[in-house]
Amino acid sequence: MFNLILFGPPGAGKGTQAKIIAQHFGFLHLSTGDLLRNEIEKKTELGILLKSYIDKGMLVPDQIVMKELYRYALQHKNAKGIIFDGFPRTLKQAESLDKVFCKKGMCISLVISIVVPEEELIKRILNRASDSNRTDDNFQIAKKRLEVYKSLTLPVIEYYKKTNRLVEVNGNRSVTEVSEDIKKAILSQINQINFIHG
Ligand code: B4P
């Protein structure tokens, strides 16, 4: 099983790339944003609580996201690989992911960080707003989400750098150019793993 994380600020193109890469390699695409939005659509008590965080541009508390994500991911232990899109977003989530998944033989082999300048991120989020129906796609909330990203999510990069699993990709290019780079990084890591394990 080859598990990877697509990492990056809001609007970096994690979801866009995850769909392309999942289809190309036959991996399962697991987006925490989509999982949470599905729950909101069901208008459950949990959904109402989730909406109160997302609409303010805040992260949903770790315990809630981890419970939802693990329940879903562990149902797919036989997948060829999983692409984590939007998870982890805090150091606690990153540490927990390694702890839970490595024990089950589902370690994260690669983390791809999609790098895009802030002005471009805001532009993309505002463009997406016209057809996304997302209540968090507006200028004020996008700014807040970027602040939250810098303070809580960006430090996670150091965690993955230390364990030599991080590859940075320039996300400020066409969708195809970005996905070609991501495909190369995945193939290179797969070859390296195959070489080490014979
Ligand atoms: P997400 O659903 O993960 O939303 P995102 O980060 O804004 O989007 P993404 O980076 O996937 O951008 P996209 O491909 O759409 O999170 C939403 C909220 O859920 C969070 O704010 C948080 O509250 C909560 N949440 C989620 N995970 C959580 C966690 N682990 N812990 C706590 N809370 C969590 O791309 C953006 C736009 O750019 C699109 O319109 C796309 O068409 C365009 N685009 C993409 N690539 C492009 C390119 N190369 N060139 C030009 N445009 C491009």
Side-chain angles (χ1 to χ4, degrees), residues 8-17 31-34 36-37 53-54 57-62 65 85-90 93 120 124-125 127-128 131 134 136-137 145 171-176 178:
K14 302 181 293 288
T16 304
Q17 293 299 332
S31 153
T32 36
D34 287 348
L36 301 173
R37 281 186 289 274
Y53 289 100
I54 292 181
M58 287 159 61
L59 292 182
V60 168
D62 288 333
V65 183
D85 158 14
F87 188 93
R89 265 174 152 101
T90 63
Q93 291 179 11
E120 173 69 14
R124 288 185 190 179
I125 292 173
N127 272 343
R128 185 175 63 186
D131 61 342
R134 279 178 52 167
D136 57 345
D137 276 349
R145 286 162 60 202
N172 197 14
R173 293 171 298 157
S174 73
V175 170
T176 312
V178 179

